[in-house]
């Protein structure tokens, strides 16, 4: 290594350009804090001539990120392109094979190939840092990987997608539909043109899979996560939640249970006034429950060029401060070969309270039939409220909205009870079922 730490940055978009600006504008401070100067010696993006509002003329341009990753002109390969395939995957591998430390913000890559890449980094005595991959600017990886070493984590959960949290916050604050709020999020640049990955929960699942691995010492297993997005949440659900003392949030939750790790992403009711319920807009939050420290929560910006680049810069500085030849901490908090298989606890075994919203025909005996179906499954009800019936056409065919809140039960029991209600032929449309998250 020269007396400069030489960076090769692949990807000069939102995060990459913000990082270049940060490294240049904070040069003196970073040199003092990192113990050596940070220099950008190589860069790559798709289009060489795009105006990015940054000056990278002193760095060598590479058309190919793999060539940049292998280049003798760099010490650290900073992958900021995104995507779980090539060129992100091949270039990170090439960097680790040719002795370069790696910093990435790419949760999709880590969710799919994280264990393999962590193993490569360990074998080659290199650092693989990825603070920005989960919850953007919140330094949660460092906390879980380093600060909580003496803790057995029992649950990690959080709001890990700013787009979904923005939409749900707007729906509640302004009484607007999901579709209107999604459109606003897109207009404001909080949501992609194709928002599927965010609103269906996949992005949250990628991040949760990394947190679950760090929390429980298990291999990263994004496919073992139960997934439900926010597209079916209506303004009626949000209003009913508020009346009952709850707020709806898209949560990623990983819990250690007697039958394995229960990992799930879905809209959840959290009590009004709880810390997690107060996280509004695009803000993210991660909460950890562990035996030694108790519970702690961190919140902050989960996305945005500067906030994300801040986490990337912290990772770079950690590399600058690491001593050549010394054993580096494993990327996933423990040696990759010692990670346990991810034993998945099935969703049907999930225990908790449930909010259920049904639209039924307003006929005598309907309430009794619902109560019977619940009783058959040993489900006790905390409350059952029938709203004022809505007349569809001149007083005929009236529909009645019913809201149930159950005490703790299992997912299997709730599903069976709702099937029973449906088979009784009184249900109009589908039942809405939202899990109530128990907070300690
Ligand atoms: N944006 C955030 O708030 C945020 C937060 C947390 C984590 N992240 C993660 O950070 C990474 C970068 O995100 P971003 O928002 O900065 O993305 P972005 O704005 O879309 O920028 C991507 C950059 O990568 C370049 N690129 C894409 N495909 C390439 C290829 N095949 N070969 C070479 N260069 C390629 C693009 O080049 P051109 O500019 O020439 O098209 C662009 O400069 C992703 O992994 C993302 O998940 C982002």
């Amino acid at each position: 290594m020269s007396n400069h730490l030489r960076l090769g940055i692949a990807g000069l978009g939102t995060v990459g350009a913000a990082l270049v600006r940060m490294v240049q504008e904070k040069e003196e401070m970073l040199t003092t804090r990192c113990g050596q100067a940070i220099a950008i010696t190589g860069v790559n993006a798709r289009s060489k001539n795009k105006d990015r509002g940054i000056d990278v003329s002193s760095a060598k341009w590479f058309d190919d990120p793999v060539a940049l990753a292998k280049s003798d002109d760099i010490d650290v390969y900073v992958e900021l392109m995104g995507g779980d395939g090539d060129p992100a995957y091949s270039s990170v591998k090439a960097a680790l094979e040719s002795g370069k430390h790696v910093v990435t913000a790419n949760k999709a890559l880590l969710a799919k190939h994280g264990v393999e890449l962590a193993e490569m980094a360990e074998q080659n005595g290199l650092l693989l840092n990825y603070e920005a991959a989960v919850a953007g600017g919140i330094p949660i990886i460092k906390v879980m990987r380093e600060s909580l070493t003496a803790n057995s984590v029992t649950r990690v959960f959080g709001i890990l997608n700013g787009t979904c949290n923005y939409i749900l916050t707007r729906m509640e604050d302004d009484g607007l539909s999901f579709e209107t709020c999604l459109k606003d999020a897109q207009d404001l640049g909080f949501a992609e043109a194709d928002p599927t990955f965010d609103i269906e929960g996949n992005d949250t699942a990628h991040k949760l899979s990394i947190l679950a691995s760090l929390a429980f010492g298990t291999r990263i297993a994004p496919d073992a996560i139960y997934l439900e997005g926010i597209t079916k949440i209506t303004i009626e659900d949000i209003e009913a939640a508020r009346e009952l003392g709850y707020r709806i949030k898209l949560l990623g939750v990983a819990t250690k249970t007697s039958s394995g790790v229960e990992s799930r992403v879905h809209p959840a009711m959290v009590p009004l006034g709880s810390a997690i319920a107060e996280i509004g807009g695009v803000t993210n939050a991660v909460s950890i429950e562990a035996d030694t420290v108790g519970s702690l929560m961190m919140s902050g910006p989960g996305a945005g060029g500067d906030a994300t680049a801040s986490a990337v810069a912290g990772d770079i500085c950690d590399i600058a401060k690491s001593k050549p030849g010394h054993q580096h901490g494993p990327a996933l908090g423990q040696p990759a070969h010692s990670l346990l298989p991810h034993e998945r606890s099935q969703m049907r075994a999930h225990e908790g309270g449930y909010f259920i919203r049904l639209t039924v025909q307003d006929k005598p005996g309907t309430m009794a039939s619902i109560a019977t179906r619940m009783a058959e499954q040993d489900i006790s009800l905390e409350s059952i409220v029938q709203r004022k019936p809505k007349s569809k056409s001149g007083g005929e065919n009236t529909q009645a909205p019913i809201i149930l809140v159950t005490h703790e039960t299992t997912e299997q029991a709730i599903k069976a009870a709702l099937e029973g209600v449906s088979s009784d032929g009184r249900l109009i449309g589908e039942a809405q079922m939202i899990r109530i998250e128990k907070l300690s």
Side-chain angles (χ1 to χ4, degrees):
M1 234 180 243
S2 69
N3 59 351
H4 282 61
L5 186 77
R6 300 165 307 163
L7 308 182
I9 304 177
L12 297 170
T14 307
V15 183
L19 178 70
V20 169
R21 240 176 267 122
M22 199 171 284
V23 167
Q24 290 171 346
E25 285 169 10
K26 297 185 181 249
E27 185 184 351
E28 207 179 314
M29 189 180 85
L30 285 173
T31 305
T32 309
R33 294 186 177 174
C34 300
Q36 63 179 312
I38 309 292
I40 300 167
T41 48
V43 289
N44 153 267
R46 253 182 317 224
S47 148
K48 187 175 179 181
N49 299 321
K50 201 188 242 183
D51 180 9
R52 305 171 190 277
I54 51 171
D55 179 7
V56 283
S57 54
S58 61
K60 186 171 168 187
W61 176 269
F62 289 77
D63 286 325
D64 175 14
V66 175
L68 170 61
K70 290 180 180 170
S71 163
D72 290 337
D73 296 331
I74 69 164
D75 304 306
V76 181
Y77 177 63
V78 186
E79 187 281 303
L80 299 172
M81 295 177 288
D84 65 6
D86 291 336
Y89 176 55
S90 51
S91 63
V92 167
K93 269 200 342 187
L96 294 171
E97 277 161 0
S98 53
K100 315 291 174 1
H101 299 288
V102 169
V103 175
T104 179
N106 189 339
K107 57 244 159 189
L109 178 71
L110 290 163
K112 191 163 178 190
H113 301 291
V115 176
E116 180 199 351
L117 297 173
E119 207 149 28
M120 280 182 74
E122 282 163 37
Q123 280 165 2
N124 295 318
L126 297 164
L127 283 165
L128 168 64
N129 287 348
Y130 52 92
E131 186 60 75
V134 179
I138 306 175
I140 189 66
I141 301 297
K142 210 177 179 62
V143 166
M144 294 192 71
R145 195 162 68 167
E146 296 168 29
S147 316
L148 299 181
T149 312
N151 282 265
S152 292
V153 175
T154 46
R155 176 166 65 163
V156 56
F157 68 97
I159 294 170
L160 301 172
N161 184 276
T163 306
C164 291
N165 207 45
Y166 171 82
I167 292 171
L168 293 171
T169 306
R170 279 293 309 276
M171 285 174 78
E172 181 176 350
D173 288 353
D174 300 328
L176 299 171
S177 70
F178 170 81
E179 289 73 19
T180 307
C181 296
L182 171 60
K183 168 91 179 41
D184 279 1
Q186 286 171 318
D187 291 345
L188 290 164
F190 297 151
E192 306 279 339
D194 178 1
T196 315
F197 221 65
D198 289 322
I199 60 179
E200 295 295 356
N202 309 73
D203 176 74
T204 299
H206 280 157
K207 296 166 185 167
L208 183 68
S209 70
I210 298 166
L211 292 180
S213 171
L214 288 169
F216 308 123
T218 48
R219 295 175 72 86
I220 301 173
D223 296 339
I225 297 178
Y226 172 82
L227 202 57
E228 213 179 273
I230 61 166
T231 51
K232 290 187 181 151
I233 298 296
T234 65
I235 196 69
E236 286 81 10
D237 297 322
I238 287 186
E239 282 167 2
R242 197 172 38 202
E243 283 169 29
L244 291 162
Y246 293 102
R247 182 162 286 145
I248 301 173
K249 295 289 180 191
L250 182 77
L251 294 187
V253 187
T255 313
K256 199 168 199 171
T257 75
S258 54
S259 59
V261 176
E262 181 186 278
S263 297
R264 49 197 167 88
V265 172
H266 55 74
M269 299 267 190
V270 291
L272 285 174
S274 61
I276 197 89
E278 296 306 312
I279 305 299
V282 293
T283 304
N284 280 200
V286 185
S287 185
I288 300 164
E289 292 163 3
D291 59 349
T292 314
V293 72
S295 70
L296 57 89
M297 189 174 108
M298 295 174 82
S299 64
D306 284 346
T308 310
S310 149
V312 174
D315 277 350
I316 292 167
C317 203
D318 278 350
I319 292 170
K321 288 185 284 190
S322 69
K323 301 257 184 304
H326 281 228
Q327 186 72 36
H328 296 300
L332 293 171
Q334 63 185 66
H337 70 80
S338 71
L339 292 168
L340 300 168
H342 182 103
E343 298 288 347
R344 178 182 189 175
S345 171
Q346 295 300 322
M347 200 54 196
R348 62 176 176 273
H350 170 72
E351 291 177 10
Y354 289 80
F355 161 98
I356 293 163
R357 185 171 57 77
L358 309 166
T359 305
V360 294
Q361 291 167 0
D362 186 33
K363 284 184 181 164
T366 299
M367 289 292 252
S369 113
I370 293 170
T372 303
R373 291 301 187 179
M374 294 288 155
E376 280 169 3
Q377 299 298 327
D378 271 341
I379 298 169
S380 71
L381 297 175
E382 187 180 299
S383 67
I384 176 162
V385 180
Q386 177 167 1
R387 301 269 172 118
K388 216 170 151 220
K390 285 182 202 156
S391 176
K392 271 189 95 184
S393 57
E396 284 179 20
N397 295 329
T398 49
Q399 305 182 353
I402 292 183
I403 301 206
L404 311 173
V405 176
T406 76
H407 285 295
E408 197 154 313
T409 180
T410 64
E411 183 105 354
Q412 192 168 8
I414 279 289
K415 289 265 164 80
L418 290 178
E419 272 166 31
V421 172
S422 172
S423 67
D424 288 343
R426 294 169 191 271
L427 201 55
I428 298 167
E430 273 185 36
Q432 173 69 294
M433 186 262 275
I434 303 176
R435 298 166 191 87
I436 298 172
E437 192 64 26
K438 199 167 150 189
L439 301 180
S440 52

